[in-house]
Amino acid sequence: MEIPDYDKALYYILWGQWDNLLILMVRTKDDILSKRIQHFLHAYHYATDQQIIVETHDNLLCYLDHAMKYTTPTATIEMQ
């Protein structure tokens, strides 16, 4: 089963796996996701203002939330 890029990104962000997030940034076909990851990682490593880091982090999470609403789930379970 293939895990969507949005789920991977959320997992990597929650667990602070920046190297995996960087790899996802390069491999994803979603250009907006790639750009949001790039902005966040750049701010995380180089920004001196904490507010910029928080802002890029929030922008990335908001995009993930938005994108996950419009993707079809890879697996569904029917309960009867």
Side-chain angles (χ1 to χ4, degrees):
M1 175 178 10
E2 176 85 21
I3 299 174
D5 289 345
Y6 307 118
D7 291 331
K8 288 179 188 176
L10 185 58
Y11 178 83
Y12 298 151
I13 291 167
L14 291 175
W15 291 101
Q17 296 182 0
W18 309 137
D19 292 340
N20 289 331
L21 193 60
L22 178 66
I23 292 168
L24 179 64
M25 178 188 83
V26 173
R27 292 184 178 170
T28 187
K29 293 182 178 167
D30 185 336
D31 292 335
I32 297 172
L33 176 60
S34 179
K35 191 54 88 171
R36 297 281 169 109
I37 293 171
Q38 178 187 6
H39 288 161
F40 168 67
L41 290 176
H42 185 270
Y44 183 82
H45 287 288
Y46 299 110
T48 55
D49 184 6
Q50 186 73 23
Q51 183 61 33
I52 294 172
I53 298 168
V54 170
E55 185 178 307
T56 57
H57 180 265
D58 289 347
N59 286 341
L60 177 54
L61 289 178
C62 285
Y63 178 72
L64 289 173
D65 182 50
H66 172 77
M68 290 172 101
K69 289 178 185 175
Y70 296 101
T71 58
T72 56
T74 55
T76 57
I77 299 173
E78 259 186 55
M79 303 288 284
Q80 293 193 18

